[in-house]
């Protein structure tokens, strides 16, 4: 019999608005319990990022009814103080990592906006941009160390839930791993924006120059939705980040 979801600590951490959309994940008791057990041991014996309270920030800040754009990342940043539960984002005061710096370069080139003073993307999330990683935790200084432990099933359920929305959503898939999620998306109803990953290894192979931000806003406008203010939340634009 499926495990009672109320006994799973991950279920208890879920924002209320996501509990019904994510019920299929918790109905698979072996996967859900396995992930919870793995995390409990990692938290007991290792340093794990982001902090436990931040793991589900993407879902907390962007409830399902407000999602109009989904940007899909990989696993969280794995150095001290960087990850806080939103893909590509870092807290204010933390230097933007290379992938985020390239995102800001492309934002400036695409829309002519000044380079932001910080790398925190909370304002995007609050406008309906779901900033979702495919894996939501990582062991300190060990990239991909929590891959293959059950998070992928969890976040695939999120993607399916967003794809099930009747209102059109723009899915943003940067890089091969994100683009492998295409089969989860109903492309008869939703738009997909694809490009190479913004990391230094691939940014110059097609991410830079792809103009994703104007494309996303154009798709939102075509569907009768407000555009995303990609600079909102930046109280002092134009800090030199070396972009």
């Amino acid at each position: 019999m499926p495990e009672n979801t109320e006994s799973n600590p991950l279920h208890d951490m879920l924002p209320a608005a996501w509990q019904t959309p994510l019920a299929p994940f918790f109905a698979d008791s072996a996967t859900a319990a396995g992930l919870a057990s793995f995390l409990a041991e990692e938290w007991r014996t290792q340093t794990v990022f982001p902090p436990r309270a931040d793991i589900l920030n993407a879902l907390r800040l962007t409830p399902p009814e407000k999602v109009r754009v989904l940007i899909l990342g990989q696993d969280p940043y794995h150095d001290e103080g960087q990850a806080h539960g939103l893909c590509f984002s870092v807290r204010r005061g933390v230097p933007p990592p290379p992938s985020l710096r390239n995102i800001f370069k492309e934002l400036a080139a695409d829309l002519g906006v000044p380079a932001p003073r910080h790398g925190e993307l909370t304002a995007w999330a609050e406008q309906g941009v779901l900033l979702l990683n495919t894996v939501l935790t990582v062991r300190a200084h060990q990239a991909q160390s929590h891959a293959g432990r059950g998070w992928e099933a969890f976040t695939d359920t999120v993607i399916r839930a967003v794809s099930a929305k009747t209102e059109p959503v723009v899915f943003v898939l940067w890089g091969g791993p994100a683009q492998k999620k295409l089969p989860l998306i109903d492309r008869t109803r939703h738009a997909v924006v694809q490009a190479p990953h913004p990391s230094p290894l691939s940014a110059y192979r097609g991410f830079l120059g792809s103009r994703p931000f104007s494309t996303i806003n154009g798709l939102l406008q075509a569907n009768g939705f407000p555009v995303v203010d990609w600079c909102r939340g930046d109280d002092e634009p134009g800090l030199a980040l070396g972009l």
Side-chain angles (χ1 to χ4, degrees), residues 35-53:
L35 176 58
S37 177
F38 168 75
L39 289 174
E41 181 66 12
E42 287 287 287
W43 284 324
R44 189 180 68 82
T45 62
Q46 305 291 333
T47 300
V48 175
F49 299 136
R52 197 179 315 199

Side-chain angles (χ1 to χ4, degrees), residues 123-157:
W124 295 8
E126 291 172 341
Q127 295 178 78
V129 181
L130 181 59
L131 295 166
L132 183 70
N133 278 313
T134 55
V135 174
L136 300 189
T137 55
V138 67
R139 189 181 293 182
H141 317 303
Q142 297 184 41
Q144 294 291 322
S145 51
H146 286 187
R149 296 290 187 163
W151 276 128
E152 293 89 348
F154 180 96
T155 54
D156 282 0
T157 306

Side-chain angles (χ1 to χ4, degrees), residues 57-168:
N57 270 349
L59 303 184
R60 181 177 61 81
L61 290 168
T62 314
E65 68 274 11
K66 292 187 177 179
V67 177
R68 51 200 180 107
V69 179
L70 189 156
I71 297 179
L72 190 62
Q74 296 181 24
D75 67 338
Y77 297 126
H78 54 79
D79 287 335
E80 187 72 37
Q82 293 181 318
H84 68 112
L86 305 178
C87 73
F88 296 109
S89 180
V90 292
R91 294 281 190 197
R92 294 182 185 228
V94 177
S99 292
L100 184 55
R101 291 166 68 89
N102 283 331
I103 288 170
F104 288 157
K105 282 183 183 179
E106 182 58 20
L107 177 59
D110 186 3
L111 295 178
V113 301
R117 291 187 61 89
H118 59 81
E120 184 172 319
L121 306 181
T122 298
W124 295 8
E126 291 172 341
Q127 295 178 78
V129 181
L130 181 59
L131 295 166
L132 183 70
N133 278 313
T134 55
V135 174
L136 300 189
T137 55
V138 67
R139 189 181 293 182
H141 317 303
Q142 297 184 41
Q144 294 291 322
S145 51
H146 286 187
R149 296 290 187 163
W151 276 128
E152 293 89 348
F154 180 96
T155 54
D156 282 0
T157 306
V158 174
I159 295 167
R160 289 190 183 97
V162 174
S163 181
K165 285 170 62 78
T166 55
E167 306 87 0

